[in-house]
Amino acid sequence: MKIILLGAPGAGKGTQAEIIAEKLGIPVIGTGAIIREAIASGSELGKQFQSYTEAGKLVPDELVVKMVAERLKGGDCKKGYILDGFPRTVVQAEAFDRMGGEVDAVLDFEIGDDAIVKRMSGRRVCEKCGATYHVTNLPPKTEGVCDKCGAALAIRKDDAPETVLERLKVYHELTEPLVGYYKARGLVKTIDAAESLETITAKTFAAIGAPEA
């Protein structure tokens, strides 16, 4: 199954992507994680990415499309994939179509801006594997420590309130139009992302027509 996850930053797409991936046995192609890995590597491309992400700006379309096209060549994508963070613009969606990208469902996670700012201020990310937690909604078993690999958790710079507000502005201007783009193709399923994790997960699996358990 080939799925695209849409929604504002902090809507919970990453959490649901991990749950779906584990259940269906397909990879999550998260551009955010790929970009963070490039930044951590200190490569020239990583430095380009960093200049955009720290300012709350989108990485240019040509860089993102190139990055995703290369990743989808992986053998683990043959049975399907989950795209989290791509496409971010209609231009990227059109480029994905030209690449021959296939989509079975588009899940749109909706939540208000105020709730997102509050939610993201409590988000913590593993410095090693990129796993995401929240101090109240999805806390790790041990405070400040990743359940998966035992590395330290940290607050990302782009989760700072001023950066979140800038990211939301960019989302509404450039990414939100994707909902209409995919609705015209009858692919969009809308999910209330302000509900509990358990409820969101149940509705997510119902939307893709897969059993949760």
Side-chain angles (χ1 to χ4, degrees):
M1 192 166 198
K2 302 172 179 68
I3 306 166
I4 289 177
L5 305 187
L6 296 180
K13 302 185 299 300
T15 298
Q16 293 304 317
E18 291 180 6
I19 295 172
I20 297 170
E22 183 175 355
K23 174 61 181 178
L24 301 185
I26 57 178
V28 178
I29 310 302
T31 55
I34 297 174
I35 288 171
R36 286 192 292 275
E37 288 172 7
I39 291 174
S41 73
S43 67
E44 192 58 39
L45 183 59
K47 291 176 182 177
Q48 291 182 55
F49 287 157
Q50 187 170 24
S51 67
Y52 291 101
T53 58
E54 289 190 348
K57 303 292 185 180
L58 292 177
V59 174
D61 291 332
E62 61 270 20
L63 293 180
V64 176
V65 173
K66 178 180 179 181
M67 180 175 62
V68 173
E70 192 62 31
R71 178 63 182 85
L72 290 180
K73 293 178 182 178
D76 59 339
C77 294
K78 290 182 178 179
K79 293 192 297 183
Y81 45 77
I82 302 164
L83 291 174
D84 176 19
F86 178 88
R88 285 188 188 272
T89 66
V90 172
V91 170
Q92 288 183 6
E94 292 171 341
F96 184 59
D97 289 342
R98 290 193 297 272
M99 284 164 46
E102 299 177 2
V103 182
D104 296 314
V106 177
L107 307 184
D108 177 30
F109 295 87
E110 292 193 347
I111 184 172
D113 288 2
D114 289 344
I116 283 179
V117 173
K118 181 178 181 181
R119 175 182 289 183
M120 293 182 74
S121 66
R123 186 160 69 172
R124 302 292 183 269
V125 178
C126 177
E127 296 180 318
K128 183 177 180 181
C129 73
T132 302
Y133 301 87
H134 192 278
V135 293
T136 55
N137 298 336
L138 190 65
K141 294 176 183 178
T142 301
E143 184 177 353
V145 179
C146 179
D147 294 346
K148 296 184 177 181
C149 70
L153 302 180
I155 300 174
R156 286 166 40 188
K157 290 182 179 179
D158 53 359
D159 283 343
E162 61 274 14
T163 305
V164 171
L165 290 173
E166 177 61 26
R167 293 174 69 195
L168 286 170
K169 178 182 177 182
V170 171
Y171 169 78
H172 291 307
E173 291 177 355
L174 299 179
T175 306
E176 205 164 33
L178 280 169
V179 177
Y181 179 84
Y182 285 114
K183 271 187 177 179
R185 297 166 59 179
L187 295 171
V188 175
K189 304 286 187 180
T190 302
I191 297 171
D192 183 354
E195 298 187 281
S196 69
L197 175 62
E198 293 76 12
T199 299
I200 296 170
T201 299
K203 290 186 175 181
T204 295
F205 277 92
I208 61 177
E212 184 179 350

